[in-house]
Structure formats: C-alpha cells, structure tokens
Amino acid sequence: MSDIRTRFAPSPTGYMHVGGIRTALFAWLIAKKAGGTFVLRIEDTDKAREVDGSAAHIIECLTWLNIIPDEGPGAFGGEYAPYFQSERLPSYKEWAQKLIDDGRAYADPYSADELQAFRELAQKEKRPFLFRHHRPETPPVWDGTQALRFKSEPKAYTWHDDVMGDLPSGPEVIDDFIIMKSDGYPTYNFAHIIDDSEMKITHVIRGQEFLASTPNFLNLYEALGFTFPTFASVPPIMNEQGNKKLSKRDGAKDILAYREEGYLPEAMRNFLASLGWNDGTEQEVFSTEELIGSFSLDRVQKSGARFDENRLLWLNGAHIRSLSLESLYSYVSPVDDDVSRGTGFWPASAYNEDITVGYRTNVLALAQDRLKLFDDLRQFGYFFAEPARNEALLTDNKQLRKLTSDEQNDLLAKAHTSLESLETWNTESIQNSLNDLLTSTGQKPGILFSLIRIVVTWAPFSPALPETLEILGKETVLRRLDIATKAA
Ligand code: GLU
C-alpha cells in the first residue's frame, strides 16, 4: 500500500449534493490510483448547523456510489479513530494548550459588542479589519469558556496547489483567527489541520472556497510544527449556463434522488468525474476502472464546471447499454423478484401472475437500448397487460389521419390474416410477413407499420415492430388487432 492518504471531510449539515460528492470522488480516485487510502471524516464541530441523520445520509450516498472509505466512522474503522471530530475534543485541547504554552494562542477577552466596535472603526477608517491589531496586552488565562485565538506571524507565502498552480499571498491577509470556540468545540480552521496531520493525510482535496483562508492555515501549520500537505482545490460547479454557482433552483438536489429516479452509480460516477476533469481525449464514457487509471489532478480545470443534467441522462443510457442483461435485470427488479418488496422499476403489471421471469427478461433485452433511466421501463406496460385505447395516437398521426376508419380496419384485418397464417413466430417470419403486406396493400411503412404498432401497444413509442410483436406473442397480437378492428 502506498503512503498516499486522501480524505473526504464533510460537515453533517444537510443532504449531500453534487459538489460534495464530486470532491469525495476526486479524493477517492487519487487514493485508488496510487494504491493509497481514502479516509472519511465527519466534521461535526458546528453544533448549531448540524442536521440529524446527515452523517448516515453521507455514508449512504458514498455506499450507493461505491466510493467506499478505507477508514472512517463506525464499521469502516481505522487506526486513527475516532473519525467524528466531536469525539476528538481531547486532542484539539491538547494542541490548543501547546500553542498557548508556546505563546502562539491567547484567550479572546472581548465581548461581541467590543468586537463589533473594532469592526466599525476599521470600516470608518476605510481599512480592512484585522483582529491582530487589537491583541490584548495581558490576555486572561484560558479556561475553556472563552474563544481561543491563534497568534499569527504575518508573512508572505507562495504555495503550490496541484490544480491552481503556484499561489502568492501577502502578510496583510494573515490574522489571529479563532481556533477554539467558547462552546468548547474547535473551529473548522483548527480542527481540520490537527486531524489531517494526525491522520497522516498527504493530499487535501477540497473546494476552491478554502483558497482565501489557506495563507492563514499555512501560518498555523508552521506554528504547530506540521509539514504542509499537498493541496488541490477543485473548481466550483456552475449552473447549466455556466454563469453562476449551481443552486437548488438550477437542480442541485440530494444525490440519493438520482438513485430513486433510476440512475446507475457507474453513470453517476462517470458524470461526477467529468465535472471539471477530462483526460484530454474525446472519450466520454468511462468505466470506474478507466477513471481510476486515467484520473489526475493536473487535468482538473481551474474554472467552474458546468452542470448539465442532460449529459448525465445521456451517460446513464450509455452505461445501461453496456450492462449485462443479468445485471440490468437485478438493478431494475425487486430483490429475489420478491414482489412483496414492490416491483422495482417495472410497471405493476409486470408482476401479474402469468408473467414469467423469462418473459420479463425478453422485454428487458428489447428495452435495454432505449432506457435512459430505469424509470423509463414503466412505459413498457403494454407487454404485460391490455393497453387502453388512446384515440389521439391515431388522430394526431398526420399519415394515419388520411385514412378513413374503414380503410384502417381493412388494413388491420389484412394484417390479422397474414400474421395468423404464420407457422413460425419470430422476428424474421414477422418481418417477412409485414413486407409482403406492404406489397399486397401498396401502403407505405409509415402508414401500415405505424397503424399496427399503435393498435398493439397504444403507446407513443415502442421498439422495432417485428421484435415487439415477437415478444408479445402471436395470440396477444391477433387479439389486439381484433379488438382494434371492432372498436374503430
Ligand atoms: N467540513 C468542510 C466542509 O464540509 C471540509 C472542507 C475540507 O475538505 O477541508 O466544507
């Protein structure tokens, strides 16, 4: 195993969205590619913002997408446990005390009002507010109930970010930030640095929103005597137009909603990886093994990545097509085909008593190329139960509209006779019979085939006609042709 250790460090403050899980995927890919370790750490030190159940939700998302932590809370375990920050308080206190002892941290004696007055003064004097200009001469002894501030040493930095390149900053951005809050919890700014060091994280992969704070982090790393990890700041995810950050209004939603809609984890991973990364070739569809092989931080773009849900849909279709029929069947069906657990993505009628696994499998084989989402399978109800007549399909069809109902009935009766006479019922014999019918009736395929297709399915779309008829079976097809003729 290599020494490369990456981590995903979400705060449990709500549902997991596309930006968070994309960061997790990038960190996981870097670890997997190097044969290293991917760590999940739950950053639950902001008790006011915490949402119940978020940590379990995060783990469920990662599990669905098969981004499995090598180390993490609960059953994941690992030698640097615990992986919930709220369970690591003794460690933060110890490091905080060390900083105090080294003269690099002090208790903040000010009230909120006093702090506000400093801010307003800075504003009035048109200068940026820096806390370090108000360092108390003799700070009180820290008893754990006051905020504890880092005593910074302002200086310039140039640091390297694997995505952003070399980044410079001046001493003016360095300040005395809070490391321990008055509620006894550390701030993110402090806790993540302690944990990344204690957990031997080599690569800190996270969003660009932390770039502005990085000079302050560097100052703290130095005060603690820690070496800097490798930083990689991934670009934000933008709306489809690419002009602002993706928000709920632009479709940023809970990642698990995609599972409910019938997206494949493999397709979702492919899509997430492409949000801000490409391998420099034209390839768009990647298996997870291919992603692990070709992913690298130096091909992650600096600028925002456009979120295009249509692309996800397209990728999903591509991944569905590449599944074996067996595995597609297990994705869309209830476990063990046990209908007491629901019907998976099948229409309810697919579990009617007389429908066999073999029949469902045949339908699925035909549907596979047409599914963009598992949910699309619900459109194939006509394979399992008598479809309801939908007159509009006939009247809205420009070609069919030209025929009177007698003419339609005549064509349907001819189709009935010719299909009835078939001794072998397969795609080829059906195709031949339909072709003969074209010749004998002098009709165009656009009319004859559409008419037959509509009356046997009553659906706006269906797979190719001979295949559809083959699966439906001779008896059903003849019955439906009959019903249609009588109803017209
Ligand atoms: N807890 C931080 C967040 O959820 C993590 C940032 C980081 O990866 O360092 O934004």
Side-chain angles (χ1 to χ4, degrees), residues 354-371:
D354 51 333
I355 309 286
T356 62
V357 177
Y359 185 82
R360 276 195 297 274
T361 307
N362 287 342
V363 173
L364 196 58
L366 193 55
Q368 183 163 15
D369 282 358
R370 288 165 183 79
L371 298 180

Side-chain angles (χ1 to χ4, degrees), residues 139-182:
V141 174
W142 185 58
D143 63 8
T145 65
Q146 317 100 314
L148 187 70
R149 285 191 183 261
F150 171 52
K151 189 170 175 189
S152 60
E153 281 180 1
K155 59 194 265 201
Y157 287 100
T158 300
W159 78 96
H160 183 76
D161 184 294
D162 269 9
V163 173
M164 304 303 289
D166 288 338
L167 298 169
S169 66
E172 70 286 352
V173 299
I174 306 289
D175 198 12
D176 292 1
F177 56 91
I178 295 178
I179 55 178
M180 294 293 294
K181 296 176 285 180
S182 56

